[in-house]
Amino acid sequence: MVGYLHAFGYLEHLLESCVHVAAPTKSRFLQVQIKLAINRLKLQQQKKTAYNQSARKEIAMLLEQGKDDSARVRVEHIIREDFNIEAMEIIELYCEMLLARFGLLEQMTTCDKSIEEAVNTIIYAARRMDVKELGQVRDQLAMKFGRDFQEGAEQNANECANSRVVHKLNIKAPDVILVDQYLKAIANAYNVQWEGMIHPSEDLLGGVPTAPSTVTQTDFLYPIGAQLSPQFQQQLPVADNQFQHLPTRNPLTQTLTQSVEPKFSSALLTPTAPAASAAGAPSGSSSNNSSLKRKLKAEPTEADLKRMRGASSGDADDEPGEASGNVDDDDDRFMHGDGLTDKQRDILDIVDAAEDAPAAIDLPTLKKYVLKLEHSINKNEEMRVRYPDDPLKFIDSEADLDENLHNLMSASAVPELYPNLVSLGAVSSLLSLFEHPNVDIALAAVHLLSELTDDDVVAEATEDGARGMKHLVQSLIDQGVLDVLVQTLSRLDEFKEDSDDKQGVFDILSVVENMISVDPAATEPAVAVTRLIPWLLDRIAVKMFDSNRQYASELLAILLQSSPVPAVFAATTSSLSSSTTCRAAFLAHNGVGILLTAIAAYRKRDPRDADEIEMMENLFDSLCAALGDAEVKKRFLEEEGIELMVIALREKKMARMRALKTLTHAMTGPGGEECANRFIDAFGLKSLFPIFMHKGLKSYKKEYKAHLESEEDEHVMSILACLFKHSSPENRLRLCIKFSENDCEKVERLLEMHEQYSAKMRLADAQLEQDRELRKSEEDGDNDDDGIDTEEERYLNRLEKGLFTLQLVDLVAGYLCTMPIETEIRDRVAFLLGRRGDDFSTFTAVLREYAEFTGGQNDETNTERNFIMNVLAKLEILNGISTTDEGTNE
C-alpha cells in the first residue's frame, strides 16, 4: 500500500512539474497582490532613499574626522541600498506589465515568451527582497506554472531573469573604485576636504582635466577615458532595451547635488568611443554609446528641447538621416560626455523639473481627493459587510482605499488648506480608519496624519499655514484623536517579525510629538487623561534598546517638561490619578521607579552608540522635569534615587554629568531638605569634592570630548549651595569640616573659581561695550538703543558667560565666612582676598545683584532671596569690622 502511495505521489509530481498542470491559481487574489506589491515597492523605495540621505550625512562627518575605514564600511551599505532601489524600480515595472497583460497571464498554462522575463525576474527577486506581497505573487505564479518552473526561476537556471536585477541583487562586495567615487561625491556635497585613493584627473582619466564640482551620473559611473578593472566593469549596469526608459534613482545625483542629469538611465551608461576603442570594440558597434552625448544648439528651440527629452528617456526616435553616433567630438560645448554647456544643462534641468514635479494641489483637487477617500471607505465597508468571510471580495476595495490615503499626503504641502480639510470631514474619516479591521489600513491612516502634522510643514509654512496647522490640531483634539491613537497602540505588536507594526508605533508617537510642538497648551492636558503616559513608561521598561524605546523616552521628557506643576499634590496615589497633568499620571504609574531602573543600566557602563546616548539623556531629562514637585522628590527618596546618583558620580562614566544635574533638581525647591540630608548621609561628599577639585578632569575630558567644564562647575556649586541652605546643623558642620581639612585647600579652590569667573565677567562687559560702540558708529550717532534696557542686556550677557556660577561661588564663600565657629576659614579667605587687594566687598557686590534679580523686593516667602540677604548682611558687618581693624592698625 505504501508503495502505491509513493508511486501516486511521483505521478502527481510529474503532472505538476513536467506537464505544468498546476493547481488552479486564484486569479483575483493574484491581481490584488500584484497591486499591493507595487504599492509596497514604492514605499520601500521611499524608506531606503530617506535612510540613505541621513546616512550620507553621517559618512561625511566620519570623513571630516579622518575615520576613512569606518566611512568605507558605511558607504558599502549605501551602495547596496542604491542597488536594491534600482532593482525595485525594475520589479515595479514588471508588476505593472503583468497587470497590463493579466488577461493573457490568466488564460495560459505555460509561460508565454512576452511575459517570460517578467515572471522569471519576479520569482527570482521575491526571495531576495523584503517584500511580503512579492512572495505572495511568487507563490501564485508557482501554482500556475509548476514547482520546477519556480525552482529554475529562483536559481535563474535558464537565465531568463533580467540581468540588471540579477546584478543588483548580487551579494558580492562593491568594487573599491565604486566605493571611492561614492565617498568623493559625499565629501564634495558636504564641503569636506577629502582625497581618496583614486584621483579622476590622474589615475582614472590619464591627463584629462578634473571633473566639474558637481557630480553627474555619467562621470560618477563611467568617467570618459577611464581604464577600469574587469571586476568594476562587471558591476556596471548591463543594457536592457526593454528598460532604457527607466529613470535611475541614484541618491548621489538626486540628493547630494543640485545639478541632476535629467532622466538618464544607468542602462544607457556604456563606454564612449575612446573607451570602447580601447577595449577593442569597433567604432560602429553598439558599445559606441551615442545616447550618452546629447547634442543641443547653443540657443535651443522648443523642438530641440522636445527632441532632447525624448532622446534622454529613450522614447523618441532618431531623426531621419541622422545617425545616432554622429557627434562632433571637437565641439568645446560638450564636456564629460553629456554634450551640454552649463546654460543648456540648466535649461534641461528646469524643463525636466517642471515635467517631473507633482501638480500643486489646490482646493478643487483637495475636495476631489477627500470625496474619493470617502467613496473608497464606504465601498470597503459595504464589501466587508456583504462578504465578511471572503477576503478576496473586499481586498480590491482596500487596495483602492490605501491608494487614496497615499494621494491625500500631497495636502501636507499646503497647510493653508487644512481648515478646508477639516470642514470637508476628512478628520473624522481618518479617525474611523484607525479602528479598521485591517491593521495595514489603520497604519496607512496614521502615517498620513503624521505627514500632515509634520513639524517641517510648520517651519516652512506661511502665517496662514501656521494657523491652518493649529486649526487641524485643535480639531483632532476635539474629536479625541489621542484616545484613538493610544487604542491603536494596543493593537500593534512591534516585536513581531516581518511586520510594519514597529513603524506604525513610530508614526503614532510622531503624531503626538507634532501636536505638542504646534499647541502644547491644548495637547498636554488631553494627553494626561489618556493612557499614553503608562504606555510610554511600559515601553521604556523594556530592556532591549531600539528606536521606539528612544522615541518613547524623548516624548516622555517633552510631556513632563511642558506639564505645569500642580499647586498642591494630594497625599495618595488614588487622588493623584484624577489630576489632569502628565506629572500626576507619571507619579501614579510608578514613573520614578521605572526611570531609575532604566538609568541604573548606565551607572557602570556607557551607552553603545549616539542613539543610546540620546535615550540616556532623555531619561535623565524626564526625571529632572518631574523632580520639580515635592511629591516626586519624596518618591525619589523612597526608590533610593540619591544613592543611585552617588554611585554614578563615583563610577566616573558618561552618566556622571547627568547625575549632577539630577541632584541639583532634587535639592532645589520644596522638598529639597530631605534630599540634601540624604545625600550627605549616603557619603555623597566623598564623591562630590573630587569633582569640585577637578581631580582626574584631564583624563575624563579626554575620554568624553563633549564634556563641558563650565556646566559641571555650575551643577557642583548648585549642589553645594543647596547643601548649605537645606542641611541639618550636624550635616552642615560636616560640610564645613570638609572645607577646612588639608590646610583649607577647598577654600583656595573656591577663591580660584571666584577669580576665574570674575575675569570672564570683565571680559564679557568689555565685549558688550565694544559691540555697543560698533552699533553706535553704524547708526551714525543716532543711538536710541531702540528701547533696549542696557542693564538688562548686560545682565543677560553676563549670565551667558557664567554669572550664575560666580554668584553661587560667592554665596558659598560668603556663608563659610559668616559661620561663627569657622574663624580659620574666614581668616584664610580674608588673607587670600587681601593678597589680591580685595576684601569681603567683592562678595557683597555680586550677592547684591543676585538678590536683586531673585524674586520681588517685598516677597517674604521667597526663601532663596531671604537666604542671600541674610548672608549679605553678615558679610557687610564682617567687612565693616575688618575695615575698622585696618584703620586702628594704621
Side-chain angles (χ1 to χ4, degrees):
M1 185 66 181
V2 175
Y4 283 114
L5 290 176
H6 282 296
F8 179 77
Y10 178 71
L11 289 175
E12 184 182 22
H13 173 71
L14 285 178
L15 287 173
E16 180 181 353
S17 304
C18 301
V19 188
H20 300 298
V21 180
T25 181
K26 300 176 182 179
S27 301
R28 186 60 176 167
F29 181 76
L30 175 59
Q31 188 176 24
V32 172
Q33 288 299 323
I34 292 176
K35 291 181 180 180
L36 294 176
I38 292 174
N39 291 333
R40 182 72 65 181
L41 286 168
K42 291 178 179 178
L43 182 62
Q44 289 281 4
Q45 292 171 45
Q46 293 174 0
K47 289 181 179 179
K48 290 180 182 293
T49 303
Y51 169 80
N52 283 355
Q53 290 176 0
S54 61
R56 281 192 293 273
K57 185 175 181 180
E58 297 176 4
I59 291 174
M61 295 174 62
L62 291 175
L63 293 177
E64 190 173 17
Q65 297 169 3
K67 299 179 180 179
D68 292 4
D69 293 337
S70 299
R72 290 181 184 279
V73 173
R74 296 286 297 275
V75 84
E76 285 189 11
H77 183 68
I78 291 183
I79 295 174
R80 175 59 51 204
E81 292 297 315
D82 286 350
F83 284 1
N84 285 335
I85 291 172
E86 293 185 35
M88 286 180 177
E89 289 178 336
I90 300 175
I91 299 299
E92 182 184 335
L93 287 177
Y94 276 136
C95 290
E96 292 177 353
M97 177 193 296
L98 291 184
L99 281 181
R101 303 178 182 178
F102 193 77
L104 177 65
L105 176 66
E106 193 174 16
Q107 296 174 3
M108 311 201 71
T109 57
T110 60
C111 189
D112 188 77
K113 288 292 183 181
S114 62
I115 59 173
E116 183 179 24
E117 183 173 346
V119 172
N120 278 270
T121 305
I122 290 174
I123 295 176
Y124 176 85
R127 285 181 52 197
R128 297 163 174 84
M129 286 185 176
D130 186 19
V131 181
K132 58 183 180 181
E133 290 82 3
L134 208 58
Q136 296 284 349
V137 174
R138 174 201 60 196
D139 295 342
Q140 291 296 312
L141 292 174
M143 289 175 59
K144 186 169 188 63
F145 297 122
R147 188 183 307 167
D148 285 351
F149 183 87
Q150 175 192 359
E151 293 176 355
E154 287 181 342
Q155 302 300 327
N156 195 24
N158 52 5
E159 297 185 354
C160 289
N162 183 276
S163 57
R164 287 180 61 196
V165 173
V166 173
H167 164 67
K168 296 300 180 184
L169 297 181
N170 192 351
I171 60 174
K172 183 172 59 176
D175 189 90
V176 64
I177 299 178
L178 185 62
V179 171
D180 204 58
Q181 291 284 16
Y182 260 81
L183 292 175
K184 286 182 181 179
I186 292 173
N188 290 338
Y190 288 94
N191 297 323
V192 176
Q193 297 297 327
W194 182 81
E195 293 293 336
M197 298 189 311
I198 301 160
H199 303 281
S201 59
E202 300 174 2
D203 301 334
L204 288 179
L205 301 183
V208 178
T210 307
S213 58
T214 56
V215 181
T216 65
Q217 190 172 1
T218 309
D219 296 330
F220 168 68
L221 287 176
Y222 212 108
I224 294 179
Q227 302 297 325
L228 304 180
S229 65
Q231 181 183 3
F232 181 56
Q233 292 181 8
Q234 292 176 3
Q235 296 195 32
L236 288 174
V238 181
D240 187 354
N241 295 331
Q242 190 174 359
F243 289 99
Q244 286 189 356
H245 64 282
L246 179 67
T248 299
R249 294 186 186 176
N250 191 326
L252 284 172
T253 58
Q254 281 201 343
T255 59
L256 290 182
T257 64
Q258 298 299 323
S259 177
V260 181
E261 285 296 311
K263 296 186 180 297
F264 247 166
S265 169
S266 56
L268 300 176
L269 298 178
T270 52
T272 53
S277 60
S283 59
S285 64
S286 60
S287 62
N288 195 11
N289 186 10
S290 60
S291 63
L292 193 62
K293 286 192 174 184
R294 299 172 294 173
K295 192 169 182 179
L296 190 67
K297 299 177 182 179
E299 299 295 331
T301 62
E302 184 63 22
D304 293 327
L305 292 177
K306 289 183 178 179
R307 179 173 57 84
M308 293 306 300
R309 286 195 294 267
S312 63
S313 63
D315 295 333
D317 296 328
D318 292 336
E319 294 182 3
E322 180 179 348
S324 60
N326 186 15
V327 179
D328 295 334
D329 295 332
D330 58 346
D331 195 337
D332 294 336
R333 293 181 287 111
F334 302 141
M335 39 190 310
H336 302 285
D338 63 358
L340 302 176
T341 63
D342 291 339
K343 180 179 178 181
Q344 295 164 355
R345 189 181 296 108
D346 291 340
I347 293 174
L348 282 181
D349 286 342
I350 294 172
V351 173
D352 289 335
E355 288 181 344
D356 296 338
I361 186 171
D362 51 10
L363 184 55
T365 307
L366 180 65
K367 290 181 178 179
K368 182 180 70 174
Y369 284 166
V370 173
L371 289 176
K372 289 179 68 176
L373 177 63
E374 294 286 349
H375 176 74
S376 59
I377 292 174
N378 295 333
K379 180 67 175 178
N380 180 244
E381 290 179 354
E382 177 186 348
M383 298 301 291
R384 275 185 168 271
V385 171
R386 185 180 299 178
Y387 308 102
D389 299 325
D390 191 357
L392 293 178
K393 296 291 185 179
F394 57 74
I395 195 170
D396 195 27
S397 64
E398 292 189 358
D400 294 337
L401 177 57
D402 182 76
E403 182 180 356
N404 289 328
L405 286 171
H406 182 77
N407 291 337
L408 202 56
M409 287 186 184
S410 57
S412 63
V414 280
E416 295 83 2
L417 297 180
Y418 282 1
N420 303 101
L421 193 67
V422 173
S423 62
L424 290 170
V427 172
S428 57
S429 299
L430 285 178
L431 295 188
S432 66
L433 291 177
F434 287 177
E435 300 176 356
H436 196 278
N438 187 345
V439 178
D440 290 336
I441 296 297
L443 295 183
V446 170
H447 183 66
L448 171 60
L449 194 57
S450 175
E451 292 292 330
L452 292 176
T453 58
D454 193 355
D455 52 0
D456 290 339
V457 175
V458 182
E460 300 172 1
T462 61
E463 207 172 297
D464 292 337
R467 284 195 294 268
M469 175 68 79
K470 196 165 184 178
H471 185 79
L472 173 63
V473 169
Q474 187 60 54
S475 175
L476 290 170
I477 294 173
D478 294 341
Q479 299 191 40
V481 67
L482 294 170
D483 278 323
V484 181
L485 287 174
V486 175
Q487 292 173 10
T488 307
L489 282 173
S490 63
R491 297 177 58 191
L492 304 180
D493 183 9
E494 55 181 312
F495 302 106
K496 183 172 62 177
E497 294 184 1
D498 300 329
S499 171
D500 290 335
D501 288 9
K502 185 174 183 179
Q503 180 63 37
V505 170
F506 188 90
D507 287 338
I508 290 175
L509 299 181
S510 176
V511 171
V512 178
E513 183 188 9
N514 295 339
M515 292 174 63
I516 294 173
S517 64
V518 172
D519 194 352
T523 306
E524 191 275 334
V527 170
V529 297
T530 67
R531 288 195 53 80
L532 180 61
I533 296 292
W535 187 93
L536 293 175
L537 292 172
D538 292 341
R539 189 61 183 85
I540 291 171
V542 178
K543 292 185 178 181
M544 183 180 66
F545 172 78
D546 60 7
S547 58
N548 282 348
R549 189 186 184 206
Q550 174 194 347
Y551 206 168
S553 65
E554 179 182 352
L555 187 56
L556 180 63
I558 293 173
L559 288 170
L560 291 176
Q561 288 168 358
S562 60
S563 176
V565 181
V568 179
F569 258 93
T572 62
T573 302
S574 59
S575 59
L576 279 173
S577 61
S578 64
S579 177
T580 58
T581 65
C582 291
R583 294 173 187 266
F586 169 81
L587 186 59
H589 293 86
N590 192 28
V592 176
I594 292 175
L595 287 185
L596 289 177
T597 303
I599 289 172
Y602 303 107
R603 68 189 188 279
K604 292 186 177 181
R605 75 166 180 89
D606 290 333
R608 297 179 180 87
D609 52 27
D611 292 334
E612 195 170 358
I613 291 174
E614 184 178 350
M615 189 192 74
M616 182 189 71
E617 292 177 346
N618 291 333
L619 296 175
F620 277 104
D621 289 342
S622 301
L623 189 57
C624 290
L627 283 171
D629 184 80
E631 195 68 24
V632 178
K633 291 176 182 175
K634 182 179 178 181
R635 188 69 60 83
F636 183 68
L637 290 173
E638 293 173 357
E639 298 287 345
E640 298 183 348
I642 293 291
E643 288 77 3
L644 178 60
M645 298 302 118
V646 171
I647 293 174
L649 295 183
R650 186 170 63 244
E651 293 298 332
K652 300 179 182 179
K653 294 296 183 180
M654 186 180 291
R656 186 180 85 172
M657 173 65 74
R658 286 80 183 176
L660 286 172
K661 178 181 177 181
T662 305
L663 289 170
T664 302
H665 284 79
M667 298 181 193
T668 304
E673 297 83 359
E674 295 182 12
C675 293
N677 288 306
R678 176 72 71 85
F679 178 78
I680 296 178
D681 294 340
F683 304 102
L685 296 179
K686 187 177 181 180
S687 301
L688 180 66
F689 276 111
I691 302 175
F692 171 72
M693 297 297 295
H694 284 183
K695 292 183 178 180
L697 180 62
K698 289 185 179 179
S699 59
Y700 189 82
K701 291 176 68 174
K702 185 178 180 181
E703 179 71 18
Y704 306 107
K705 294 181 171 52
H707 174 75
L708 294 176
E709 183 179 340
S710 59
E711 185 179 351
E712 185 176 76
D713 287 343
E714 179 181 332
H715 289 315
V716 170
M717 294 310 306
S718 295
I719 294 172
L720 288 174
C722 290
L723 291 176
F724 277 114
K725 284 185 286 188
H726 300 317
S727 298
S728 63
E730 296 81 6
N731 286 332
R732 200 173 295 145
L733 181 60
R734 292 172 60 182
L735 191 59
C736 292
I737 293 174
K738 279 287 186 180
F739 272 95
S740 61
E741 65 185 13
N742 295 333
D743 197 23
C744 297
E745 63 174 1
K746 297 177 181 62
V747 175
E748 293 184 2
R749 168 65 184 149
L750 207 59
L751 269 294
E752 179 185 333
M753 292 180 66
H754 169 81
E755 183 60 29
Q756 174 188 350
Y757 282 93
S758 295
K760 288 184 178 181
M761 295 305 102
R762 291 191 292 270
L763 183 62
D765 290 341
Q767 183 64 40
L768 180 62
E769 190 62 30
Q770 186 177 357
D771 292 342
R772 286 176 179 172
E773 292 294 332
L774 182 61
R775 289 201 303 265
K776 185 184 296 185
S777 62
E778 290 176 353
E779 295 172 3
D780 297 329
D782 184 16
N783 183 24
D784 296 333
D785 285 338
D786 297 329
I788 300 176
D789 189 342
T790 56
E791 282 302 318
E792 183 178 354
E793 181 185 9
R794 174 177 175 272
Y795 186 75
L796 293 176
N797 182 59
R798 285 158 64 89
L799 279 177
E800 292 179 1
K801 306 300 182 183
L803 175 61
F804 184 57
T805 305
L806 176 63
Q807 292 170 344
L808 294 173
V809 167
D810 289 1
L811 182 62
V812 171
Y815 186 85
L816 283 170
C817 293
T818 58
M819 291 284 288
I821 60 174
E822 294 300 330
T823 56
E824 181 184 1
I825 294 178
R826 183 164 56 248
D827 294 341
R828 177 59 65 92
V829 172
F831 171 74
L832 293 174
L833 288 174
R835 206 164 56 175
R836 299 187 178 100
D838 291 330
D839 54 17
F840 293 123
S841 62
T842 190
F843 295 153
T844 59
V846 175
L847 294 179
R848 191 174 291 109
E849 183 182 37
Y850 187 15
E852 180 182 352
F853 285 90
T854 304
Q857 295 287 340
N858 300 320
D859 190 0
E860 297 180 358
T861 61
N862 191 334
T863 57
E864 178 77 14
R865 185 175 184 278
N866 293 337
F867 181 81
I868 299 171
M869 295 301 296
N870 187 30
V871 174
L872 182 60
K874 293 179 179 179
L875 277 176
E876 289 177 343
I877 294 173
L878 282 177
N879 198 43
I881 294 173
S882 62
T883 304
T884 304
D885 291 342
E886 290 177 3
T888 304
N889 293 334
E890 290 177 0

